[in-house]
Amino acid sequence: MTEFSVKSTIISRYAFTTVSCRMLNRMQVPAAAFITNFTMLIGDKVYQGEIREREKKTGDKAKEKRNKTSEDDGEKGTETFRASVVIPSKDKAAFLLSYEELLQRRLGKYEHVISVRPQQLVGRLTVEVNVLERSGITSLEVLRLQHSRQKGSVRGEGDSELPPSTVINQNDTFAKIIFKPSVVQQAKIAQNGILGDFIVRYDVNREQSIGDIQVLNGYFVHYFAPKDLPPLPKNVVFVLDSSASMVGTKLRQTKDALGGTDINGALQRAIRLVSLVIFLTDGKPTVGETHTLRILNNTREAARGQICIFTIGIGNDVDFKLLEKLSLENCGLTRHVLEEDDAGSQLVGFYDEIRTPLLSDIRIDYPPAAVERVTRTLFPNYFNGSEIVIAGKLAHRTVERLHVEVTASNSKKFVVLKADVPVEPPEAGNDVAGSARPEGGGAGGPNHVQRLWSYLSTKELLSAWLHSSDERDKERLRQKAQALAVASRFLTPVTSMHLKRSGLQTDKPEDAQSMSAAAGPEPVMQSLRGASPQPGPALQKPYNPRIKVSKTSVDGDPHFVVDFPLSNLTVCFNIDGQPGDILRLVSDHADSGVTVNGELIGAPAPPGGHKKQRTYFRTITILANKPERSYLEITPSRVILDGGDRLVLPCNRSAVVGRRGLEVSVSANANVTVTIQGTIAFVVLIHLYKKPAPYQRDHLGFYISSSRGLSSSCHGLLGQFLSRDATLTQEPAGLSEGPGRPPLPRAGDGPETVLKVRGHQVPVVRKQRRIYNGEEQVDCWFARSNAAGLLDGEYRDYLAAHPFDSETAFGLGPSGGL
């Protein structure tokens, strides 16, 4: 191995991590994390992972081992991801693994654990962790390397020692930690190169008792961790398994002996006595009731939601699934203690987590009309030093305050907390330059809040699926969890990862920079060259940046231009949208199978202007459903083509690719041309700023080059005009006014110019617009007031639910969405 690097970015407790290495056949990830991508670069070939619905087939190149306690070479709290491949002689190989996780608060701190086990001395070894917390970082420490279980592999060090060569830079809200040991320093830590876990531990500032709410692009997350509350009184019983299966190391670890493993009987007696049960066992019932389903049912009926059962699995052969179900169904937690571990310290640490309950029967409510698709809001208990996290969607993106009510029990008192919490999004400047994270969150950063919501929702659906006893309900939950996991690109027990050879080639990686990838759902390969993955006729060369196409377009702030060639008229209008809104531009899913949506980002308005803010298109998404379904996502930095396999094209390099009746041509840092079935063509202009002013953002312009293949029923902000014609007339002043349409200001009292289109009469004025990067000036008739009367319906009728939403509106009937 010549290189091993890890790059991790934590934004408001949600962590994006990418591991890149060469010649490594296994990688360890936290047990609570979801793998989102795996890519192999073998010579000049690229194999990219694709998340699909799990099938019953076996033999995939990449397999995942989830919750397998029989792993003899894994580490506690981790899972091992393995991939195997034959590497041709003299070829170089690189592996990139990305995963995401929500950090859990325990004992008042968050811990981010990165497995660093290259198993040999490495020429270049780097770990970089970026922490961005809007609430403010109150404490931060890097622990000494926590070493492998393998005895004799490391030398002793003090807990307070920083790992060698570790550098920490931080301010109130941001911290950057870099661990970059030389080969000599690696040898001093471990002669055989096995290092251990690199751990960053921190906490954040908490001022509001009601918690901290953060919002980004219509999604919100609520962190609730009250402090300074009196502890609840409690009774605790430790239930110890001392059966034959626990003889030896397991029994010595528990320090006591009580008789056979009558799991059912022991739990029934403990429940009658106490409010909190800690059960230590290997999870193998040998006496009394031994049927696991009946044990679960009996325990649930006896506890009746009033007793919390915490389970600790002892040993390497634990029936972890049974213990996990026992705890999850009875408001508890599960931990695993391996035989080689110091069980005493593990038990003390676990008890410290639950020793101080502060609240019970917690319910967190939001106004039903204000939120939707909210994750779990009922919690049996809250322990000191932990945290409750809830995520959801805002029904209205423009809300400035969110009413929150928390009801709970504290000892013999009933606690009610109420507040209207400000929900301002993070400041645009709080971005991490060059950090490892996905794009598409607006204002140049990731939508970590949406990813966090997807993470929590998927976890809850999987948990409900795992513990459901009704077959019909179980299948419904499995399908919902599977659909969300596929959409979010999470590798879960109901999804699988398939490695497919990409149609792109790469330059052979010569150094670490040429093979770096962004953490998150899709990697950004910095050295991709365009290539046609299928044989066929030669494709066109990339379009010239000074391309001339139809005037029908949307660009800039955004400014819409519609061309009516039959009447030799050009009409223009503006749409004052909100950052995060997704606008339907072309909607023809039912006929041609084509949908185009555009997502807005915001920027402050220039000084002295009449607007409060500017909006631009950051992302253009195209769904082509015929002859086969393909997804295309375009940003100023990259193009992602997702069909049977997945291609990622950087926008700073010219390339041409084609597949499934879809051709994509990238002209470096200029434009992207998309041709569908040879009859539909779109051009997306790329607007980049070297030194942008505060009111400028890198953005996109969308132009319709050819609409021959679109149907006469095509709709959308631009699509509705493709099959229409318009005429101009002079009308007496005020004739175009009507109910709900106030008089428009005019220079004089003479007749006004009125545009007649599809039965609508719209007053217009003459204007000029610059299009194609300002290279061409067009005269147009401008419709004011957000094109009131010109468009079918209202602004909200053109909002899409997600980037690839293909539902139609205006009574045209649904097209089935995705």
mmCIF file of all heavy atoms in Angstrom, residues 13 135-138 203-207 212 227:
data_model
loop_
_atom_site.group_PDB
_atom_site.id
_atom_site.type_symbol
_atom_site.label_atom_id
_atom_site.label_comp_id
_atom_site.label_asym_id
_atom_site.label_seq_id
_atom_site.Cartn_x
_atom_site.Cartn_y
_atom_site.Cartn_z
ATOM 1 N N ARG A 13 -23.399 17.731 13.563
ATOM 2 C CA ARG A 13 -23.423 16.369 14.090
ATOM 3 C C ARG A 13 -23.656 15.290 13.052
ATOM 4 O O ARG A 13 -23.698 14.108 13.380
ATOM 5 C CB ARG A 13 -24.472 16.213 15.209
ATOM 6 C CG ARG A 13 -24.096 16.996 16.449
ATOM 7 C CD ARG A 13 -25.306 17.637 17.103
ATOM 8 N NE ARG A 13 -25.203 19.086 17.038
ATOM 9 C CZ ARG A 13 -26.024 19.923 17.647
ATOM 10 N NH1 ARG A 13 -27.011 19.463 18.361
ATOM 11 N NH2 ARG A 13 -25.862 21.209 17.539
ATOM 12 N N SER A 135 -24.005 26.102 16.386
ATOM 13 C CA SER A 135 -24.291 26.438 17.782
ATOM 14 C C SER A 135 -23.049 26.870 18.550
ATOM 15 O O SER A 135 -23.158 27.514 19.590
ATOM 16 C CB SER A 135 -24.935 25.239 18.494
ATOM 17 O OG SER A 135 -26.101 24.821 17.828
ATOM 18 N N GLY A 136 -21.893 26.508 18.045
ATOM 19 C CA GLY A 136 -20.639 26.819 18.729
ATOM 20 C C GLY A 136 -20.056 25.594 19.394
ATOM 21 O O GLY A 136 -20.777 24.789 19.999
ATOM 22 N N ILE A 137 -18.760 25.425 19.279
ATOM 23 C CA ILE A 137 -18.063 24.284 19.870
ATOM 24 C C ILE A 137 -17.571 24.677 21.259
ATOM 25 O O ILE A 137 -16.797 25.614 21.411
ATOM 26 C CB ILE A 137 -16.876 23.859 18.986
ATOM 27 C CG1 ILE A 137 -17.369 23.490 17.580
ATOM 28 C CG2 ILE A 137 -16.115 22.693 19.600
ATOM 29 C CD1 ILE A 137 -16.262 23.251 16.577
ATOM 30 N N THR A 138 -18.014 23.955 22.288
ATOM 31 C CA THR A 138 -17.632 24.290 23.661
ATOM 32 C C THR A 138 -16.420 23.504 24.132
ATOM 33 O O THR A 138 -15.683 23.964 25.004
ATOM 34 C CB THR A 138 -18.802 24.037 24.624
ATOM 35 O OG1 THR A 138 -19.216 22.666 24.518
ATOM 36 C CG2 THR A 138 -19.976 24.948 24.294
ATOM 37 N N ASP A 203 -18.308 18.721 22.162
ATOM 38 C CA ASP A 203 -19.692 19.068 22.496
ATOM 39 C C ASP A 203 -19.969 20.474 21.976
ATOM 40 O O ASP A 203 -19.042 21.219 21.612
ATOM 41 C CB ASP A 203 -19.954 18.976 23.995
ATOM 42 C CG ASP A 203 -21.455 18.916 24.309
ATOM 43 O OD1 ASP A 203 -22.238 18.572 23.406
ATOM 44 O OD2 ASP A 203 -21.841 19.221 25.451
ATOM 45 N N VAL A 204 -21.253 20.845 21.980
ATOM 46 C CA VAL A 204 -21.657 22.136 21.425
ATOM 47 C C VAL A 204 -22.343 22.966 22.500
ATOM 48 O O VAL A 204 -22.765 22.468 23.544
ATOM 49 C CB VAL A 204 -22.605 21.968 20.222
ATOM 50 C CG1 VAL A 204 -21.922 21.184 19.113
ATOM 51 C CG2 VAL A 204 -23.903 21.280 20.630
ATOM 52 N N ASN A 205 -22.459 24.245 22.226
ATOM 53 C CA ASN A 205 -23.102 25.178 23.130
ATOM 54 C C ASN A 205 -24.617 24.966 23.124
ATOM 55 O O ASN A 205 -25.220 24.772 22.073
ATOM 56 C CB ASN A 205 -22.769 26.616 22.711
ATOM 57 C CG ASN A 205 -23.324 27.633 23.667
ATOM 58 O OD1 ASN A 205 -23.263 27.471 24.875
ATOM 59 N ND2 ASN A 205 -23.899 28.694 23.124
ATOM 60 N N ARG A 206 -25.231 25.026 24.308
ATOM 61 C CA ARG A 206 -26.687 24.882 24.431
ATOM 62 C C ARG A 206 -27.214 25.992 25.321
ATOM 63 O O ARG A 206 -26.853 26.096 26.481
ATOM 64 C CB ARG A 206 -27.058 23.525 25.043
ATOM 65 C CG ARG A 206 -26.517 22.379 24.247
ATOM 66 C CD ARG A 206 -26.693 21.052 24.967
ATOM 67 N NE ARG A 206 -25.759 20.080 24.411
ATOM 68 C CZ ARG A 206 -25.959 19.454 23.265
ATOM 69 N NH1 ARG A 206 -27.049 19.686 22.585
ATOM 70 N NH2 ARG A 206 -25.061 18.606 22.804
ATOM 71 N N GLU A 207 -28.088 26.798 24.747
ATOM 72 C CA GLU A 207 -28.637 27.927 25.501
ATOM 73 C C GLU A 207 -30.136 27.800 25.726
ATOM 74 O O GLU A 207 -30.656 28.214 26.741
ATOM 75 C CB GLU A 207 -28.338 29.237 24.773
ATOM 76 C CG GLU A 207 -26.839 29.548 24.687
ATOM 77 C CD GLU A 207 -26.555 30.850 23.970
ATOM 78 O OE1 GLU A 207 -27.518 31.443 23.444
ATOM 79 O OE2 GLU A 207 -25.385 31.257 23.926
ATOM 80 N N ASP A 212 -32.382 23.310 19.898
ATOM 81 C CA ASP A 212 -31.866 24.054 18.747
ATOM 82 C C ASP A 212 -32.501 23.508 17.480
ATOM 83 O O ASP A 212 -32.487 22.299 17.238
ATOM 84 C CB ASP A 212 -30.339 23.903 18.694
ATOM 85 C CG ASP A 212 -29.741 24.565 17.454
ATOM 86 O OD1 ASP A 212 -30.300 25.577 17.012
ATOM 87 O OD2 ASP A 212 -28.734 24.062 16.942
ATOM 88 N N LYS A 227 -30.752 20.659 30.188
ATOM 89 C CA LYS A 227 -29.819 20.434 31.286
ATOM 90 C C LYS A 227 -30.364 21.111 32.542
ATOM 91 O O LYS A 227 -31.398 21.768 32.526
ATOM 92 C CB LYS A 227 -28.444 20.989 30.931
ATOM 93 C CG LYS A 227 -28.447 22.460 30.531
ATOM 94 C CD LYS A 227 -27.062 22.920 30.096
ATOM 95 C CE LYS A 227 -27.075 24.392 29.694
ATOM 96 N NZ LYS A 227 -25.753 24.866 29.260
#
